[in-house]
């Protein structure tokens, strides 16, 4: 059973904190070379410093996932270009919370751009290299909100549902070339992204009460799923959405 990622080059978008950082660290621990990404070069460098001090092979690749020029320029700067990437983890995501009546069109577009369009365009850039080598992994970080709804986050919920559809369609097209495409649906994790929800006593109680494990997830508890899907041990998993939510969506 091979969970190792030696010799693979992984790009994890949005990997300077939260779930993305946990995934990047876990992949590096399994031997992958990992490109650390966010919009801010200084943040990427800081993470690179910490992870390299721990002996990991990491490099900074700052770009704005939603900005086509920034995305393409960064990937072109890689030795071997975008096509040198073996594992793409589309993790960067944003959220806007507002009731329908106050939800600005610009916010809707922005969330869709980052959470859904950027993963599609990044897949388009990296897939040719994977297909040529006959091996590749694309992992889209969706959400349990890709399976169920929640009021006040319509753009986020729509983008995450869309990401699961994108996963299925790319899995069909790329599977015959040895490239698997899967989604992971995280439940409620204790991250900076969710800080406003953790700080709200009612929401915190809802998460603990409705999650059979009775607590928020720790980001390292998501990373194992990503390593599995990226490894040869997960080689027959394709077009799937793996829920990692402490059992929350198993219950009514
Ligand atoms: C919110 C959302 C998300 C969730 C996540 C669940 O902030 O309103 O509920 O942040 O944590 O998507 O997977």
């Amino acid at each position: 059973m091979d969970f190792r990622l030696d010799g693979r080059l992984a790009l994890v978008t949005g990997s300077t904190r939260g779930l993305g950082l946990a995934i990047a660290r876990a992949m590096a621990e399994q031997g992958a070379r990992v490109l650390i990404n966010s919009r801010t070069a200084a943040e990427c460098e800081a993470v690179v410093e910490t992870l390299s001090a721990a002996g990991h092979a990491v490099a900074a690749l700052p770009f704005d996932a939603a900005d086509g020029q920034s995305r393409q320029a960064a990937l072109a700067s890689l030795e071997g270009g975008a096509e040198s990437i073996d594992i793409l983890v589309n993790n960067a995501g944003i959220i806007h919370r507002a009731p329908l009546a106050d939800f600005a069109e610009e916010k809707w577009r922005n969330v869709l751009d980052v959470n859904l369009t950027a993963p599609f365009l990044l897949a388009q850039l990296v897939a040719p290299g994977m297909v040529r080598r006959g091996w590749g992994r694309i992992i889209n970080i969706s959400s349990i909100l890709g399976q169920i709804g929640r009021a006040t986050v319509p753009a986020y919920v729509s983008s995450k549902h869309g990401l699961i559809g994108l996963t299925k369609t790319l899995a069909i097209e790329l599977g015959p070339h040895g490239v698997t495409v899967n989604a992971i649906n995280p439940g409620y994790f204790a991250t900076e992204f969710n800080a406003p929800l953790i700080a709200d006593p009612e929401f915190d109680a809802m998460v603990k009460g409705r999650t059979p494990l009775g607590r928020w997830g720790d980001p390292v508890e998501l990373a194992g799923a990503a390593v599995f899907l990226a490894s040869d041990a997960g080689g027959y998993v394709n077009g799937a959405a793996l829920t990692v939510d402490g059992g929350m969506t198993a219950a009514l």
Side-chain angles (χ1 to χ4, degrees):
M1 192 77 38
D2 195 357
F3 291 93
R4 293 288 303 176
L5 304 176
D6 302 283
R8 309 289 188 201
L9 177 63
L11 165 61
V12 184
T13 65
S15 47
T16 55
R17 54 187 178 154
L19 301 181
L21 175 56
I23 293 168
R25 180 184 284 121
M27 288 190 167
E29 281 168 1
Q30 294 309 312
R33 286 179 297 134
V34 184
L35 298 164
I36 303 297
N37 160 264
S38 82
R39 274 172 294 188
T40 320
E43 277 179 15
C44 295
E45 293 298 348
V47 169
V48 165
E49 207 172 301
T50 313
L51 295 183
S52 349
H56 299 313
V58 289
L61 192 71
F63 63 87
D64 179 349
D67 175 339
Q69 259 186 342
S70 152
R71 212 171 36 226
Q72 280 174 23
L75 288 167
S77 77
L78 286 175
E79 201 188 313
E83 298 188 13
S84 60
I85 290 167
D86 301 298
I87 301 166
L88 167 65
V89 183
N90 279 311
N91 166 78
I94 57 171
I95 196 162
H96 179 65
R97 304 180 183 97
L100 180 59
D102 305 325
F103 209 99
E105 179 179 342
E106 190 201 334
K107 298 285 188 190
W108 168 273
R109 289 188 189 284
N110 199 214
V111 171
L112 268 289
D113 271 354
V114 176
N115 295 9
L116 183 57
T117 308
F120 166 70
L121 294 170
L122 280 168
Q124 204 167 44
L125 288 171
V126 303
M130 296 177 176
V131 167
R132 203 168 356 92
R133 289 187 294 279
W135 194 99
R137 299 284 189 259
I138 298 176
I139 301 169
N140 295 320
I141 307 302
S142 179
S143 164
I144 55 169
L145 296 186
Q147 304 167 253
I148 57 172
R150 167 165 132 70
T152 75
V153 287
Y156 184 84
V157 167
S158 302
S159 69
K160 295 301 188 180
H161 275 72
L163 208 44
I164 293 175
L166 176 68
T167 299
K168 290 175 182 166
T169 197
L170 294 184
I172 298 165
E173 185 172 337
L174 298 176
H177 303 282
V179 178
T180 68
V181 187
N182 292 288
I184 299 178
N185 295 348
Y188 285 95
F189 280 78
T191 59
E192 208 177 302
F193 192 85
N194 283 333
L197 306 181
I198 297 166
D200 172 353
E202 225 174 281
F203 202 94
D204 179 55
M206 184 282 287
V207 168
K208 290 173 178 160
R210 290 194 44 196
T211 303
L213 291 184
R215 60 179 175 81
W216 293 76
D218 182 314
V220 298
E221 295 175 300
L222 187 81
V227 166
F228 165 63
L229 292 174
S231 70
D232 285 327
Y236 200 60
V237 185
N238 190 30
L242 177 53
T243 299
V244 184
D245 70 348
M248 185 188 241
T249 52
L252 237 190

